[in-house]
Amino acid sequence: MSLKDSVNNAYSSWMTGTGPDNDVVISSRVRAARNLSHFAFPHMLDDDKAQEVIHAVSLALENRGADCKPGKLEINNMIELSPEDRQILVDKHLISNDLLKDHGRKAVVLSEDEAISIMLNEEDHLRIQCILPGMQLESSWLQVNNIDDELEKTLDYAFSEKFGYLTACPTNVGTGLRCSVMVHLPALVFTEQIKKVLPSISKLGLTVRGLYGEGTEPVGNLFQISNQVTLGHSEEEIVQNLVSVTKQLLDQERTAREALYDDRKEYMEDKIGRSYGILKNSRIISFNEVMSRLSDLRLGIDLKIIKDVSPQLVNELIVLTRQAFLNKEAGKELSVFERDVKRANIIREKL
Amino acid sequence: MLCERCQKKEATVFYTEIINGQKKQLNLCEECAKELHSQGFDFMPQLNFHNFLGSILGHNISNFTKTSLGANKCEVCGLSEEEFAQKGLLGCGNCYENFGNTLDSLVRSIHGTNIHNGKVPEKTSDRVKYKKEIESLRSQLKQAVAKEQYENAAKIRDSIKEIEKRLEQEG
Ligand SMILES: [Zn+2]
Ligand SMILES: [Zn+2]
């Protein structure tokens, strides 16, 4: 799949709704920051030097053995994409917002299944990322580690024996590793247990933030949990810490779901059924409402109340109903009202 | 997410400001951000999650400028400590060494340690291995000399020289 295909398709392999523990863990992501030793960090480079970095990485990619997983990796310059297409890559979690700024000097490498993406000249020269469905942090790390090993054969990384991999921001130095899981916690939110759970997580060296709700209230009961500290622990320890905390969270969410369903069966079935009905029948709907209705729908699928919708479709709808995709579908910039109408149309069509 | 100011365009610039431990956040579109900036609003830009941590440490970083005893500029990339304090970003890999003790304590306050314990690039790991070997041989040499085992000491000295030569060749 080329990049052109990628931006025309809301689907990405992490959205399959498969993978271990997918009733709570939507996706697992590992991202490693790397810099080249003979260049200043990206924010200090002029455009020519920034292009040299991209060139050096493209040579390193060509030098990879023919049988290397995950197959051929190609560089795409951000400038070749329309603003909408760039935003779609952000919405699909393949690149960060930072890659949208100053895009003339930035590039992205994508694997065919979109599990691997490498951002070039973001805050660091390379951000190697792997995103997989469900609870698969260990294998995400293994894939990132493999690509890192292959690239390192050609590239000279900025590395210090004391501080480890050197990064533009000292908060990433050492392993340069940021691991995260995206979890769906409707029962913990509904029972308000979340208010106790989240503060205790941040005491364990992890950070939690709501998804799609930066600065405002999190929407859709989706949370991203990631490691705070990158130095002093091995990559495996960082991964394991997040795995074990996520497992505890998973147990708590499942227990809360069971209790809710046992105690308030009719209430839950009613809430989920109504949300499904609204998604199937509305003519005008905002993104925030979609997110909370889809959260109910997803819970309904996991509780086996709803049997004719796949988790994958729910994940795709989250991307399909965002602004960038709606504009792209319409072929023009839509007003808020036009977007709400278009969004409702797409959902009715898909459900 | 829409820009909080004009409610029209998608917010792409996320600002965070820490005042007396209270976090204030503002999500703006590119244009509104520029406009506010020109009106003298000076928020710390929060480009992504990592900078968010950096902005929590904003307090720390400004102390960094005041208490700094080390060099004022990185001699390789030219970044000054003031620029680092403003952006929260270092200029190049050499900054870590050139900003010396103050950076060292900043790293320690962020991570609770200043020693890397994870992956080492394969190219570097040979060098690390050689250096560790030399260290251990040197202590053996000391012991040999202390025990007046001069023949043994000479052998150890030769091995050290050989490894040092290898280190040099591999640059
Ligand atoms: Zn605006
Ligand atoms: Zn420097």
Side-chain angles (χ1 to χ4, degrees):
Chain A
M1 186 155 50
S2 76
L3 194 68
K4 290 276 172 295
D5 297 326
S6 176
V7 294
N8 284 321
N9 195 338
Y11 169 74
S12 199
S13 64
W14 66 264
M15 298 174 190
T16 52
T18 58
D21 303 321
N22 68 71
D23 55 327
V24 178
V25 185
I26 308 287
S27 63
S28 306
R29 185 177 74 184
V30 169
R31 192 187 273 175
R34 297 289 184 259
N35 285 286
L36 305 185
S37 65
H38 302 297
F39 292 88
F41 295 144
H43 71 105
M44 298 288 281
L45 295 178
D46 60 33
D47 287 353
D48 287 347
K49 282 277 177 197
Q51 288 306 325
E52 277 181 46
V53 169
I54 295 176
H55 186 64
V57 176
S58 82
L59 288 181
L61 288 172
E62 279 167 25
N63 281 349
R64 293 165 71 236
D67 50 347
C68 279
K69 279 185 187 170
K72 200 165 165 52
L73 293 171
E74 256 176 81
I75 291 194
N76 301 277
N77 287 308
M78 293 306 288
I79 200 156
E80 291 157 16
L81 292 171
S82 71
E84 251 90 43
D85 289 351
R86 291 196 285 265
Q87 184 61 45
I88 286 169
L89 292 179
V90 175
D91 293 347
K92 291 174 82 173
H93 300 186
L94 302 176
I95 64 171
S96 69
N97 262 317
D98 188 60
L99 222 64
L100 304 183
K101 275 166 240 153
D102 228 350
H103 53 260
R105 45 195 294 170
K106 297 181 182 179
V108 62
V109 178
L110 278 183
S111 68
E112 207 161 310
D113 62 358
E114 300 180 5
I116 302 285
S117 61
I118 308 175
M119 290 184 268
L120 302 182
N121 289 332
E122 206 234 31
E123 192 178 281
D124 296 297
H125 295 138
L126 292 97
R127 290 269 172 96
I128 309 169
Q129 162 178 314
C130 178
I131 184 165
L132 296 175
M135 186 69 189
Q136 299 197 66
L137 274 177
E138 286 106 334
S139 43
S140 296
W141 159 239
L142 284 181
Q143 292 203 38
V144 167
N145 196 21
N146 279 342
I147 292 193
D148 185 44
D149 284 344
E150 286 167 17
L151 291 177
E152 187 224 303
K153 286 177 193 155
T154 311
L155 300 173
D156 279 324
Y157 284 149
F159 182 87
S160 123
E161 278 162 34
K162 179 179 174 183
F163 290 123
Y165 292 94
L166 302 176
T167 52
C169 183
T171 55
N172 297 320
V173 77
T175 57
L177 205 68
R178 203 64 70 181
C179 309
S180 62
V181 287
M182 202 213 300
V183 286
H184 184 221
L185 306 175
L188 289 179
V189 173
F190 186 79
T191 58
E192 299 199 347
Q193 291 177 59
I194 198 86
K195 287 178 186 159
K196 282 183 211 151
V197 172
L198 296 190
S200 67
I201 287 178
S202 49
K203 283 186 196 127
L204 298 166
L206 300 171
T207 305
V208 189
R209 60 171 200 161
L211 208 84
Y212 298 124
E214 280 169 284
T216 59
E217 285 295 296
V219 285
N221 303 319
L222 289 168
F223 298 88
Q224 192 182 43
I225 307 171
S226 51
N227 62 300
Q228 216 164 53
V229 159
T230 55
L231 184 72
H233 300 278
S234 71
E235 287 78 1
E236 287 74 17
E237 285 168 345
I238 292 172
V239 167
Q240 279 316 314
N241 184 38
L242 184 53
V243 167
S244 71
V245 172
T246 307
K247 289 224 160 111
Q248 289 173 37
L249 204 59
L250 189 91
D251 288 341
Q252 285 175 316
E253 169 66 21
R254 280 178 185 158
T255 310
R257 284 183 193 183
E258 272 168 39
L260 263 181
Y261 198 38
D262 284 350
D263 299 349
R264 312 177 71 173
K265 187 166 189 284
E266 289 76 16
Y267 179 85
M268 293 305 287
E269 286 177 350
D270 180 71
K271 182 171 155 66
I272 288 163
R274 277 169 190 267
S275 284
Y276 191 23
I278 286 173
L279 288 169
K280 274 209 283 200
N281 294 295
S282 70
R283 294 291 186 275
I284 306 164
I285 192 163
S286 74
F287 181 71
N288 277 8
E289 178 167 8
V290 166
M291 287 299 283
S292 85
R293 302 291 175 198
L294 283 177
S295 172
D296 289 345
L297 186 60
R298 181 66 210 259
L299 181 62
I301 296 169
D302 293 330
L303 290 174
K304 309 225 165 26
I305 296 171
I306 289 178
K307 296 186 176 101
D308 57 348
V309 183
S310 72
Q312 177 177 327
L313 181 58
V314 174
N315 290 337
E316 274 179 62
L317 280 174
I318 293 174
V319 176
L320 276 174
T321 54
R322 303 207 83 201
Q323 187 176 353
F325 229 102
L326 296 176
N327 283 342
K328 191 182 168 76
E329 278 283 302
K332 61 170 183 162
E333 183 122 0
L334 298 171
S335 69
V336 174
F337 174 73
E338 288 171 326
R339 272 209 302 275
D340 289 353
V341 171
K342 178 102 190 147
R343 184 178 292 120
N345 285 340
I346 288 181
I347 295 169
R348 279 206 317 280
E349 206 176 283
K350 293 274 173 185
L351 289 175
Chain B
M1 186 190 348
L2 284 179
C3 166
E4 285 176 27
R5 191 162 171 270
C6 64
Q7 301 285 339
K8 281 186 192 131
K9 296 204 163 130
E10 187 80 357
T12 53
V13 188
F14 309 111
Y15 286 98
T16 303
E17 192 185 39
I18 312 277
I19 306 161
N20 299 329
Q22 286 262 313
K23 197 179 80 186
K24 236 171 83 180
Q25 208 159 358
L26 204 55
N27 309 308
L28 301 169
C29 69
E30 205 90 53
E31 273 145 328
C32 287
K34 259 188 211 145
E35 211 181 312
L36 279 180
H37 208 78
S38 68
Q39 289 170 12
F41 280 80
D42 208 4
F43 289 94
M44 185 155 183
Q46 183 211 325
L47 304 178
N48 57 28
F49 164 62
H50 314 296
N51 282 359
F52 172 67
L53 264 181
S55 65
I56 288 179
L57 297 158
H59 157 81
N60 232 322
I61 291 174
S62 54
N63 280 351
F64 173 84
T65 341
K66 283 178 208 146
T67 60
S68 160
L69 301 166
N72 275 322
K73 251 180 197 293
C74 168
E75 50 201 50
V76 178
C77 70
L79 185 89
S80 70
E81 284 184 355
E82 281 80 3
E83 284 172 287
F84 171 54
Q86 272 165 18
K87 289 188 187 173
L89 294 178
L90 293 160
C92 75
N94 301 288
C95 286
Y96 280 89
E97 218 167 280
N98 288 338
F99 289 144
N101 288 337
T102 38
L103 188 77
D104 198 80
S105 55
L106 179 74
V107 167
R108 218 180 318 196
S109 75
I110 297 170
H111 298 279
T113 175
N114 60 355
I115 305 285
H116 177 57
N117 227 332
K119 185 176 178 180
V120 175
E122 217 171 296
K123 286 179 210 159
T124 318
S125 69
D126 284 345
R127 293 179 59 82
V128 176
K129 210 170 63 200
Y130 289 151
K131 281 188 184 164
K132 292 225 163 105
E133 254 174 58
I134 292 175
E135 257 171 55
S136 112
L137 284 171
R138 282 208 179 111
S139 73
Q140 284 176 38
L141 178 66
K142 255 189 204 160
Q143 280 174 11
V145 172
K147 288 180 192 161
E148 301 187 359
Q149 300 167 337
Y150 295 114
E151 212 172 304
N152 194 12
K155 268 190 208 157
I156 296 173
R157 209 170 280 135
D158 287 347
S159 326
I160 293 177
K161 266 187 199 147
E162 202 179 305
I163 297 173
E164 277 174 343
K165 213 160 85 191
R166 242 186 293 165
L167 251 175
E168 232 168 74
Q169 278 167 356
E170 290 177 18

